[in-house]
Amino acid sequence: MTVCPTATPGRPFGRVLTAMVTPFDEDGKLDVQLAQELATYLVDHVGNDGLVVNGTTGESPTTSDEEKEHLLRAVVEAVGDRATVVAGAGTNNTEHSVELARNAEKAGAHGLLVVTPYYSRPPQEGLFQHFWTVADATGLPVMLYDIPPRSVVPIQVDTLKRLAEHPRIEAVKDSKHDLLAGSEVMASSELAYYSGEDPLNLPWLSVGAVGFVSVIGHVVGDRLRRMLDAHESGDITTAREVHNGLLPVYRAMNGVGGVIFAKTALRLCGYETGQPRLPLPAATEEQVRLITSDLWDAGLVLVNPDAAAEVTQI
């Protein structure tokens, strides 16, 4: 089985991963060169030791399979020697998910992120068979993505325990917001938990999570690493201070959603990644002002003078 380059005992996918946006050019087409530049920036300068490519924040619902493969190959080429590259491969079609998983393996991915099938609302047995089938399809380690706010159906504790018996299902990205359920799974299985909800990163660490799959890691990955380091060293006061210092960033993200926030925040920090694809719209002028203000409150250095000027005129 493939081993992720930043894996350590108990951390099969590394520590701080960002769910990377997909850069588009002015015509809305995939910009592979910019994707490589962004991946390098996130790994070498922002503190991430892993990236999730073709996830929801990467606008996977609106990118083609061909675009997904091109993007993944580009990111692996750019940072795959020093960061874990996890490919989003989950859909609400098991056969298609298997195809995406196999394509990701051929493209050089180190692992798979497989989301709960959405819209179909399958029963728990359907979830079990879906995840098991995808995990059987490749030699890559799998991170399950439990996000009932989008998929409606949660992965129940008993189902997660059963899935933990698969040799390649190693972790859970949790966006279920249920620390009790996660604690029960961690206490009775070897599944590693990664917080998939940035405002809950510190609470998840307190019950045993080993890292993050983050959106705000696009601009504050270094702070997330500092919070994780402080918590693990027993310096809970510092961990809490870092968490509190990130409150404006959490607020900005929650105000517009992950994709719009991340692409706007990167632009404000001097990194243009294009606009989202519909049905996600570009940030409005008011949203840009609010995000700018929140990032300033969090102490980020913004290099986009136009956005900064808009805030000073409020």
Side-chain angles (χ1 to χ4, degrees):
M1 183 177 72
T2 298
V3 177
C4 299
T6 58
T8 56
R11 283 195 173 93
F13 295 91
R15 305 171 83 234
V16 178
L17 298 89
T18 282
M20 193 181 95
V21 299
T22 297
F24 301 127
D25 63 21
E26 293 181 356
D27 296 322
K29 297 183 183 301
L30 174 66
D31 191 324
V32 172
Q33 180 177 346
L34 183 53
Q36 291 188 315
E37 293 173 3
L38 176 61
T40 300
Y41 169 72
L42 293 175
V43 171
D44 294 345
H45 302 287
V46 189
N48 293 281
D49 62 358
L51 300 173
V52 173
V53 179
N54 295 325
T56 309
T57 307
E59 299 182 72
S60 58
T62 54
T63 56
S64 68
D65 290 2
E66 183 179 14
E67 287 176 318
K68 288 179 173 64
E69 184 176 349
H70 287 166
L71 175 64
L72 181 57
R73 288 186 182 277
V75 172
V76 170
E77 180 182 345
V79 300
D81 61 334
R82 58 193 184 280
T84 293
V85 181
V86 180
T91 72
N92 61 347
N93 178 331
T94 303
E95 184 177 352
H96 188 205
S97 299
V98 166
E99 181 181 358
L100 289 175
R102 288 172 175 163
N103 289 344
E105 184 174 40
K106 292 175 184 177
H110 303 123
L112 301 173
L113 179 69
V114 185
V115 70
T116 307
Y118 37 85
Y119 193 79
S120 303
R121 300 181 66 179
Q124 292 299 304
E125 181 59 28
L127 297 187
F128 174 80
Q129 292 188 31
H130 172 84
F131 288 127
W132 198 276
T133 299
V134 177
D136 269 346
T138 77
L140 299 178
V142 171
M143 180 186 293
L144 306 175
Y145 187 8
D146 192 4
I147 182 167
R150 294 180 186 264
S151 66
V152 181
V153 179
I155 313 175
Q156 300 289 2
V157 169
D158 288 345
T159 304
L160 286 164
K161 291 179 182 179
R162 292 175 65 197
L163 289 167
E165 297 175 6
H166 195 290
R168 286 184 292 281
I169 296 178
E170 299 194 9
V172 177
K173 175 187 175 184
D174 189 282
S175 296
K176 186 163 57 182
H177 315 155
D178 189 340
L179 275 70
L180 174 59
S183 297
E184 291 178 349
V185 174
M186 284 184 278
S188 57
S189 79
E190 297 299 318
L191 287 175
Y193 261 66
Y194 288 78
S195 171
E197 192 72 18
D198 278 310
L200 295 182
N201 284 344
L202 183 56
W204 268 115
L205 290 181
S206 73
V207 296
V210 299
F212 318 125
V213 178
S214 173
V215 173
I216 67 173
H218 282 94
V219 290
V220 291
D222 52 345
R223 298 195 198 183
L224 296 179
R225 181 174 291 277
R226 181 169 175 247
M227 180 168 65
L228 181 54
D229 288 342
H231 187 274
E232 291 196 332
S233 69
D235 187 356
I236 306 303
T237 298
T238 296
R240 190 181 300 119
E241 288 174 353
V242 175
H243 168 75
N244 289 341
L246 291 172
L247 291 176
V249 187
Y250 302 147
R251 181 172 64 238
M253 180 186 66
N254 286 343
V256 296
V259 177
I260 298 171
F261 163 78
K263 288 198 164 184
T264 303
L266 284 168
R267 183 176 305 115
L268 293 170
C269 292
Y271 231 95
E272 178 59 58
T273 57
Q275 300 295 353
R277 284 180 176 172
L278 290 173
L280 295 177
T284 66
E285 290 185 5
E286 177 63 16
Q287 288 171 334
V288 172
R289 285 196 292 268
L290 292 173
I291 293 171
T292 303
S293 180
D294 285 334
L295 295 183
W296 269 351
D297 287 347
L300 272 75
V301 177
L302 306 182
V303 299
N304 185 323
D306 294 332
E310 289 177 358
V311 176
T312 60
Q313 294 170 10
I314 295 177

